[in-house]
C-alpha cells in the first residue's frame, strides 16, 4: 500500500474505533459493520466505474460522499454508512487500495466484535489452526483457491469443515477470505490471524516443534521472545515430528532454528 493509502487507512481506522467505542452493543455493532463493509466491497468489485469514482481524488469530497449516499445510503446501517463516508473522504492512491482498505476495516470490525465478546484470542487461534489445516491439504487448498469455481460452492465446502467447530466470527472471516483471495487461502487466513494478534497488542511467533508445547513451555518461550523483540508475543505452535527435538521460531521474516534437525543439518554443512 502506498503512503497516501496507509494514511487514509489509519485515519479511517480511527473513525472505526470511535464509532465502535461509542456504540459497542456487546459486539453486535462491529459484526454488522464488518459484514456490511464486505457487502460494499462486493458492489465495488462488480462496478468498475463506481469503484473508480469513489476513489477519484480529482473530484470533491462532497461529490464522492454524495455518490456513496446515493448508492448505499438505504442499504446499510448508519454506523457503516458514516464509516464509508469517512473512507471516501480520504485520498487513496488508487481504487484498488481503497478496496483493500475496506476489506482490512471489515476484518477489524469483526475482530473488534469478537473482542467485545471476549473471544478475540479464540478467533486468532482458530484462524491459525485453520490456516495450518488448509496448508496441509493441497487438494483442499486448491479447491478453495480455484478462481474459476463459484464463490458459493467454495463457501459451502469450507462450511462443511467449520460447522459447529469455530466461533461465528471465525467462520465469517474465513468465508470472506476465500471469497476474495489476495494470495493462497492458507496465507490469507494466517494474515487475518496476525491481524487479530496485532489488535491484542502482540507480535506473532510461529513456533514449530516435534511435539505440542505445554502451557508452561509456551509461556516461558513467550517471555524469552518478549525480551528479544521488546513486545508481547502470541505463540502459535505447529507440529513437525521431523524436527526430532527443539524448536524453530519464525517472527516475521526472521527464523531462529534451535531444532535437533537444524543443528544436525548445520553440522553436516560444516563437514563438507
Amino acid at each position: 500500500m502506498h503512503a497516501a493509502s496507509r494514511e487514509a487507512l489509519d485515519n479511517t481506522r480511527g473513525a472505526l474505533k470511535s464509532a465502535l467505542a461509542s456504540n459497542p452493543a456487546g459486539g453486535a455493532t462491529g459484526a454488522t459493520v464488518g459484514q456490511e463493509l464486505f457487502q460494499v466491497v462486493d458492489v465495488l468489485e462488480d462496478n468498475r466505474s463506481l469503484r473508480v469514482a469513489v476513489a477519484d481524488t480529482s473530484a470533491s469530497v462532497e461529490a464522492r460522499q454524495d455518490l456513496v449516499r446515493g448508492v448505499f445510503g438505504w442499504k446499510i446501517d448508519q454506523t457503516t454508512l458514516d464509516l464509508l463516508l469517512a473512507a471516501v473522504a480520504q485520498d487513496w492512491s488508487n481504487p484498488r487500495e481503497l478496496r483493500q482498505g475496506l476489506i482490512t476495516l471489515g476484518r477489524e470490525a469483526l475482530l473488534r466484535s469478537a473482542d467485545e465478546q471476549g473471544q478475540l484470542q479464540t478467533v486468532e487461534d482458530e484462524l491459525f489452526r485453520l490456516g495450518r489445516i488448509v496448508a496441509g491439504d493441497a487438494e483442499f487448498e486448491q479447491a478453495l483457491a480455484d478462481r474459476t469455481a463459484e464463490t458459493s460452492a467454495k463457501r459451502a465446502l469450507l462450511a462443511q469443515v467449520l460447522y459447529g467447530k469455530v466461533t461465528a466470527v471465525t467462520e465469517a472471516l474465513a468465508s470472506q477470505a476465500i471469497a476474495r483471495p489476495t494470495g493462497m487461502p492458507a496465507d490469507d487466513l494466517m494474515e487475518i490471524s496476525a491481524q487479530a494478534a496485532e489488535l491484542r497488542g502482540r507480535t506473532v511467533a510461529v513456533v514449530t516443534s516435534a511435539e505440542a508445547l505445554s502451557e508452561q513451555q509456551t509461556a516461558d518461550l513467550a517471555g524469552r521472545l518478549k525480551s528479544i523483540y521488546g513486545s508481547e508475543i502470541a505463540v502459535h505452535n505447529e507440529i513437525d515430528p521431523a524436527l526430532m527435538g527443539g524448536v524453530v521460531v519464525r517472527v516475521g521474516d526472521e527464523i531462529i532454528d534451535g531444532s535437533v534437525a537444524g543443528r544436525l543439518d548445520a553440522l553436516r554443512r560444516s563437514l563438507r
Side-chain angles (χ1 to χ4, degrees):
M1 207 176 252
H2 293 84
S5 293
R6 288 197 299 270
E7 182 178 354
L9 177 58
D10 286 342
N11 291 339
T12 314
R13 179 179 281 122
L16 172 64
K17 291 169 65 176
S18 297
L20 297 184
S22 63
N23 186 24
T29 302
T32 297
V33 170
Q35 294 284 16
E36 290 185 341
L37 282 177
F38 294 143
Q39 292 169 16
V40 168
V41 171
D42 286 340
V43 174
L44 294 178
E45 288 175 340
D46 290 339
N47 191 325
R48 183 180 183 280
S49 61
L50 176 62
R51 187 169 67 247
V52 171
V54 296
D56 183 6
T57 56
S58 67
S60 68
V61 169
E62 291 76 12
R64 302 198 301 264
Q65 291 182 326
D66 284 346
L67 179 57
V68 163
R69 288 189 188 94
V71 175
F72 299 106
W74 56 278
K75 295 180 180 178
I76 56 180
D77 185 81
Q78 186 62 47
T79 303
T80 309
L81 178 61
D82 289 343
L83 182 64
L84 187 55
L85 292 172
V88 301
Q90 304 298 317
D91 289 342
W92 300 84
S93 298
N94 54 59
R96 179 181 58 80
E97 293 187 354
L98 169 59
R99 169 194 171 277
Q100 185 56 49
L102 294 176
I103 291 173
T104 299
L105 292 166
R107 291 174 176 176
E108 182 166 327
L110 282 167
L111 290 171
R112 289 188 180 278
S113 79
D115 195 22
E116 285 291 331
Q117 300 170 72
Q119 296 180 333
L120 184 56
Q121 184 171 352
T122 298
V123 170
E124 176 191 330
D125 292 341
E126 288 175 346
L127 287 166
F128 173 78
R129 290 198 300 272
L130 178 59
R132 300 324 301 157
I133 290 170
V134 172
D137 188 331
E139 185 177 351
F140 182 43
E141 181 166 37
Q142 191 57 48
L144 295 178
D146 185 358
R147 294 177 185 269
T148 65
E150 291 288 337
T151 297
S152 58
K154 293 192 291 184
R155 282 176 161 164
L157 177 61
L158 182 66
Q160 291 176 10
V161 175
L162 299 184
Y163 182 74
K165 299 177 183 177
V166 298
T167 62
V169 171
T170 296
E171 186 165 2
L173 287 166
S175 180
Q176 77 80 23
I178 65 164
R180 50 183 62 84
T182 56
M184 291 300 288
D187 294 334
D188 290 345
L189 292 166
M190 297 291 280
E191 181 183 328
I192 306 173
S193 177
Q195 186 178 352
E198 184 179 349
L199 203 58
R200 296 198 301 122
R202 284 161 169 74
T203 299
V204 170
V206 178
V207 180
T208 307
S209 54
E211 299 179 348
L213 299 178
S214 68
E215 289 187 10
Q216 187 60 53
Q217 288 173 321
T218 299
D220 290 345
L221 183 57
R224 289 198 291 271
L225 291 172
K226 178 182 177 181
S227 67
I228 295 172
Y229 292 99
S231 65
E232 295 291 338
I233 299 292
V235 174
H236 291 174
N237 187 203
E238 57 182 34
I239 313 304
D240 182 1
L243 294 182
M244 295 182 282
V247 296
V248 176
V249 179
R250 186 173 74 250
V251 180
D253 294 329
E254 185 173 353
I255 296 176
I256 304 171
D257 190 347
S259 68
V260 172
R263 291 196 293 272
L264 289 174
D265 186 56
L267 178 60
R268 282 194 293 268
R269 289 198 302 270
S270 71
L271 295 175
R272 288 176 182 172

